[in-house]
Amino acid sequence: MDAAREAHAREAFRQAVVNTLERRLFYIPSFKIYRGVAGLYDYGPPGCAVKSNVLAFWRQHFVLEENMLEVDCPCVTPEVVLKASGHVDKFTDLMVKDEKTGTCYRADHLIKDFCKEKLERDPNITAEKAAEFRHVMAVLDDLSAEELGAKIKEYGITAPDTKNPLSPPYPFNLMFQTSIGPSGLTPGYMRPETAQGIFVNFKDLYYYNGNKLPFAAAQIGQAFRNEISPRQGLLRVREFTLAEIEHFVDPEDKSHPKFSEVSNLEFLMFPREDQVSGQSARRIRIGEAVTEGIVNNETLGYFIGRVYLFLTHLGIDRERLRFRQHLANEMAHYAADCWDAEIECSYGWIECVGIADRSAYDLHAHTDKSGVPLVAAEKFAEPIEVEKLVITPVKKELGLAFKGNQKMVVEALEAMGEKEAMEMKATLESKGEVEFQVCTLGKDVTITKSMVSILKEKKKEHQRVFTPSVIEPSFGIGRIIYCLYEHSFYTRASRGGDEQLNVFGFPPLVAPIKCTVFPLVQNQQYEEVARRIARSLTAAGITYKIDITGTSIGKRYARTDELGVPLAITVDSTTSVTLRDRDSKQQIRINVDEVASVVKEVTDGLSTWADMQWKYPAHSSTSAED
Amino acid sequence: MDAAREAHAREAFRQAVVNTLERRLFYIPSFKIYRGVAGLYDYGPPGCAVKSNVLAFWRQHFVLEENMLEVDCPCVTPEVVLKASGHVDKFTDLMVKDEKTGTCYRADHLIKDFCKEKLERDPNITAEKAAEFRHVMAVLDDLSAEELGAKIKEYGITAPDTKNPLSPPYPFNLMFQTSIGPSGLTPGYMRPETAQGIFVNFKDLYYYNGNKLPFAAAQIGQAFRNEISPRQGLLRVREFTLAEIEHFVDPEDKSHPKFSEVSNLEFLMFPREDQVSGQSARRIRIGEAVTEGIVNNETLGYFIGRVYLFLTHLGIDRERLRFRQHLANEMAHYAADCWDAEIECSYGWIECVGIADRSAYDLHAHTDKSGVPLVAAEKFAEPIEVEKLVITPVKKELGLAFKGNQKMVVEALEAMGEKEAMEMKATLESKGEVEFQVCTLGKDVTITKSMVSILKEKKKEHQRVFTPSVIEPSFGIGRIIYCLYEHSFYTRASRGGDEQLNVFGFPPLVAPIKCTVFPLVQNQQYEEVARRIARSLTAAGITYKIDITGTSIGKRYARTDELGVPLAITVDSTTSVTLRDRDSKQQIRINVDEVASVVKEVTDGLSTWADMQWKYPAHSSTSAED
């Protein structure tokens, strides 16, 4: 019952947030006048401003701070690239169809819904059955099409809207497909992630970086997933903005020179072992996590720390943020380690940033497919002497002995491994000949001493050539923003106590509009002062909203609190004005000519509201907020 | 011959620019390791930085300065929206196919190439023929598929690569098509422009603006055109960034409150009449152009002025920038006026910004298709009394007289226009009856006085409801950036005079990296100072490049001049450093602790290099640039 009440409260809270967001145009269902399209949303003016603030801070915090190479690649991508990356073959969800209407559903969603419904609403469920449903929900991601189909049959699940029977599950590729050029012969897709654009450019970027590792490339851009049936509002959409970093390192040295700058940060982590043994997330110092091997390496740990700083600076509540390690079954076979920054909101814990050590997988895949080696080289300070096996078949002798089969014998000799070759060498030296199996001939042949020379030569090598590892922090910007909305939202009673007012308590960094300008009453003098202040705000690069309507000042505050505007300037004289702080509702008095620079200092984060309260006289008004 | 030499010089200049751009990764042909895709390019690190600087300035100059409502809509767009806008039916180019290989070409391109070739290379061409070719090239855009086909036949044009015969021209839709959701039943397209996302949101945006006109909405985003055969390198691409403004105004009042701020600007304009009469572009004051009716209205004129300021601030040469008015045959039938900002580069005059008064066309189209009225209302200060025609058929009488035909008669009566109704009223009053044609019955009927009442009533109206006009400045960001590259590029002899060095003379606003940090020689002390300066630059939000290699300082300058870096810090002592200006190559000495703030002042545009030369001692070095 408590769980039900809690679920109800979560739902009510979400509705309050979403209603405010939609009413104030933070977002708009796209193409609304045409009844919209599931999974497509517009950012309206305040939402668009929040997004561009988040992206600007991302650039500052990651690209500029780390001197990353930012690139900007097209969304339209030819098939060959996504064939190499594995998306054409594997980027699928399992789908079932209503056999009569053709409506499509995600197979795992239907089973999950069924189990959840049973667990929550069926009072007669046995403990055994309950355990089974919980188990099914836990392993859902691992089930094959056949297994999902069997479960659907076993549980008698039908189409939710019509109760019609369902088709067996089959894979549906989640990429939007298109065709490049007029011929219809060049299939293409809208990219499902921005990362591939970076991988295919590795060679040029490495060169641009002076052929030195490590370095990181970054990209912000649209990505597309043709979801089968988008749910969870703004969290699962068909087009979204990703910000991705690909940090290339020597697989033999994943240390990070700036790791000490984050190593003392302590936050909620949820290692694989703790999840498996049924424990909860716990506070761990990231330095410790790396030392103890919980996190695979320093570079991965460094990015986990930087992501923590990024999210908390934006206003994400540190108590509702955790870093969860992927379980073995979640992780791609090639990944060395993977952590998700998960943020808790009314939908539960949501994956918002993935931070993965993808090893050399992606560069290998594109090297194989394109034939262009995507490798790095470590130049040795001094050449290093190495022993190399050299097998030299003597073609003349072999030709005489084997005639038409010569080529096969030569190839088989050259293909010998070190151990086999050294054994042959020893036998030849002691006995003069050796029996040698040539698979391509399907028989053994006799090799004599004169037919092949086997040597170990000392060679000088000047460099080590290798495929770099990739450490990839990948940010779902829309998801971060939605969680930020929930974490920033609160309500408070109006002055009269008769209604609940909504507030978005955004930090100035994120706030869509930094301040408002209100003449207290409608008169020409105040309006002129307001316009003068507005011009000085524009010159200082501060976004503002001016409201010269006769609406009561309290109503005007309430309206802009709902937009998360941190500061309000009220023009109540021609020489000085009142500056109000959104969250504390406290007010100070400042000269007209000074106010823009004060607002700039606070919104740029150079001073706090408390600093300003120290510097400027308080203003008390009994009538302001009625 | 002179024309040929000039064309050759243009080509050589372009090659020099493009080689530098590609070598320094300003751009990269997308998916290069897979041999690329025509018309798709990546922005590499410096190009990406230039782009984000241009967009940041666009936001500052337009969105912030004018308090525009910025929105962000998806690229994936359902068919119904683009059906309403006309793109599904009309966004096509005429294409011909090589009848044997299937290779596609733009029909107009082939004819243009043929005429150009004849004019440039055929010495035996008659004056008459030459005039014909010139005429064909001028009217190419107006020719129908049949007319283009006839020309191809007449001139015997074949496929350029194979000389095979060509198919007749047929329309090819330039939108990338896709399918939304798994059913395959919802066709969609990648948007060909960002504007439609704004139009369909008009109602919400108008409400957000307090139901007041005028206001502008803006959007920056990707747009897509599946070009038949992209040419002209970075100028004609299949995916590009648009920045569009839709300024909504009352069609009866297109004045602009800030017009006086631009009215004195004078620049090259090319009005329709001057083009038709064979004159050249000339300097006109924009205030005059509006007063004299050359430009249709103040708001259009205001935006032309603002676009001029935007482009010249970025570094576009004002002598190679003109505003050309569309000729009657270029302009859509609904447009009230249209001007293109054209920038001259090695490809000729290139349309980079379109500034059009699109009247009420777009809002009308979406109102019609969606059934949602996209209108504005002007509330009158006092209600206005208007006379309204009221026709009231007396159904009982009509039923008795016409039985089953009653409905048709009623509808015909109600559909009468004012004149017809007032004539009927007069006849009924004088004669008691009138003959009345009912088209749906195919005959006349007799209407008597008792069957209908016709009145003119006085009514009070409180508002005027109308569809706003749209003034649309639309910026092709990639084209502007390419022209900027050409306008910024120059070469100068190296110190030794033995080679030509490339320089991009970007203004600091645009420069991809604002400054470099070079220790003069490799030693630990200088390197530490360099790193300290680097940290202070990061803190000040200034992008920099640090180069601690032992390369000669002259080479390091040359490398970064090629990237357009405006300022270089050379660490040649532990207390003070040398600051060098890229274009003049002059140098001043500044304290280590002061240098970041000096760089910031210059690159933020608060001070000029000349200001700094006044303030700090000059540094002369004979060895620096060798």
Side-chain angles (χ1 to χ4, degrees), chain B residues 141-359:
Chain B
D141 286 350
D142 292 337
L143 298 187
S144 68
E146 290 69 31
E147 289 165 327
L148 288 175
K151 281 283 161 227
I152 287 174
K153 271 224 174 102
E154 184 190 336
Y155 294 155
I157 299 173
T158 55
D161 303 324
T162 61
K163 306 298 164 203
N164 288 332
L166 294 165
S167 75
Y170 59 97
F172 172 73
N173 194 298
L174 297 177
M175 291 192 293
F176 284 98
Q177 194 172 359
T178 190
S179 181
I180 305 174
S183 70
L185 300 172
T186 312
Y189 300 90
M190 303 311 297
R191 63 180 174 194
E193 58 177 28
T194 69
Q196 301 305 324
I198 296 177
F199 296 139
V200 299
N201 280 327
F202 173 78
K203 208 179 148 189
D204 280 340
L205 295 171
Y206 179 60
Y207 168 77
Y208 187 82
N209 200 51
N211 292 330
K212 283 201 176 52
L213 284 187
F215 75 90
Q219 181 167 200
I220 297 172
Q222 293 303 87
F224 304 81
R225 293 192 191 185
N226 198 7
E227 297 285 351
I228 292 167
S229 52
R231 313 200 292 185
Q232 296 194 308
L234 294 166
L235 292 178
R236 189 164 291 279
V237 292
R238 285 178 164 151
E239 182 176 339
F240 46 95
T241 302
L242 282 183
E244 297 194 294
I245 294 165
E246 311 298 328
H247 181 92
F248 298 100
V249 288
D250 185 338
E252 292 179 10
D253 178 12
K254 293 182 179 174
S255 65
H256 197 288
K258 287 162 78 182
F259 184 65
S260 63
E261 291 178 21
V262 302
S263 62
N264 278 322
L265 292 173
E266 194 180 280
F267 42 76
L268 282 177
M269 296 189 80
F270 203 6
R272 191 177 298 138
E273 282 66 33
D274 293 6
Q275 296 170 56
V276 172
S277 63
Q279 295 172 59
S280 310
R282 60 190 161 100
R283 298 193 167 281
I284 306 180
R285 236 177 14 90
I286 185 68
E288 229 171 83
V290 170
T291 315
E292 289 177 7
I294 298 172
V295 168
N296 184 280
N297 59 70
E298 261 191 11
T299 299
L300 197 60
Y302 178 71
F303 278 112
I304 291 174
R306 293 289 296 169
V307 169
Y308 171 80
L309 291 174
F310 174 72
L311 294 173
T312 51
H313 259 77
L314 286 182
I316 292 295
D317 177 3
R318 63 199 67 212
E319 302 303 322
R320 287 184 277 171
L321 166 63
R322 72 181 184 194
F323 289 84
R324 189 180 71 78
Q325 192 172 29
H326 275 203
L327 296 173
N329 68 1
E330 290 176 275
M331 214 158 59
H333 65 275
Y334 49 79
D337 195 3
C338 186
W339 293 77
D340 284 343
E342 293 185 334
I343 304 176
E344 196 184 21
C345 72
S346 64
Y347 290 104
W349 287 96
I350 301 300
E351 172 198 344
C352 290
V353 187
I355 309 148
D357 182 336
R358 301 175 56 85
S359 75

Side-chain angles (χ1 to χ4, degrees), chain A residues 138-139 141-142 270-277 294 324-340 357:
Chain A
V139 300
D141 286 351
D142 292 336
F270 202 7
R272 191 178 298 140
E273 280 66 33
D274 293 7
Q275 296 169 55
V276 172
S277 63
I294 300 172
R324 190 180 71 78
Q325 192 172 29
H326 275 203
L327 296 173
N329 67 2
E330 290 177 275
M331 215 159 57
H333 65 275
Y334 49 80
D337 194 4
C338 186
W339 293 78
D340 284 342
D357 183 336

